[in-house]
Amino acid sequence: MKLVTAIIRPHMLDDVRAALVDIGVSGLTASEVKGFGRQKGHTELYRGAEYVIDFLPKVTLEIAVSDHSLDNVIETIMTVANTGKIGDGKIFVKSLEQVIRIRTGETGDAAL
């Protein structure tokens, strides 16, 4: 089992979620976050004063998947979230040792 963490643009969330549901992903967690990478932020003008926004709004998705679903999930996120511009985000993959569904006590792939 793997934990896929994807950092994407906020306006891409609905499209990415819908595409993941279409390929059989049964659940995910989305969190609003702020960060920066190569995009480096931008400058804004407010009441005549210019200031730099270093941390840009992003959405982090966390998706627990079985090993055989991993490539399909990654490909789907990459395809849907890609605008071709700097700041599209990143995907991280980590191994999951165990997953337990609290309600039923199911473990492993059955708990996904």
Side-chain angles (χ1 to χ4, degrees):
M1 294 173 297
K2 305 291 185 207
L3 179 64
V4 177
T5 303
I7 301 170
I8 62 172
R9 296 175 186 269
H11 68 274
M12 303 301 262
L13 175 59
D14 289 335
D15 292 340
V16 171
R17 183 201 55 79
L20 289 170
V21 168
D22 287 346
I23 65 164
V25 171
S26 60
L28 61 84
T29 300
S31 304
E32 293 180 3
V33 297
K34 291 186 178 194
F36 71 92
R38 290 186 179 160
Q39 198 173 2
K40 305 258 195 267
H42 62 276
T43 304
E44 286 192 5
L45 195 60
Y46 179 72
R47 294 189 177 186
E50 193 172 278
Y51 62 100
V52 176
I53 307 245
D54 290 331
F55 290 92
L56 299 173
K58 300 289 181 182
V59 171
T60 298
L61 301 177
E62 293 180 307
I63 310 148
V65 299
S66 60
D67 289 330
H68 72 273
S69 300
L70 178 64
D71 291 337
N72 200 15
V73 167
I74 291 171
E75 183 178 327
T76 299
I77 295 169
M78 287 180 60
T79 300
V80 176
N82 183 7
T83 67
K85 298 178 184 163
I86 196 165
D88 277 348
K90 290 203 170 35
I91 298 173
F92 305 96
V93 179
K94 298 183 259 186
S95 292
L96 282 178
E97 290 185 30
Q98 188 171 6
V99 175
I100 303 164
R101 185 183 312 270
I102 295 172
R103 179 178 54 87
T104 62
E106 294 170 296
T107 60
D109 283 346
L112 296 177

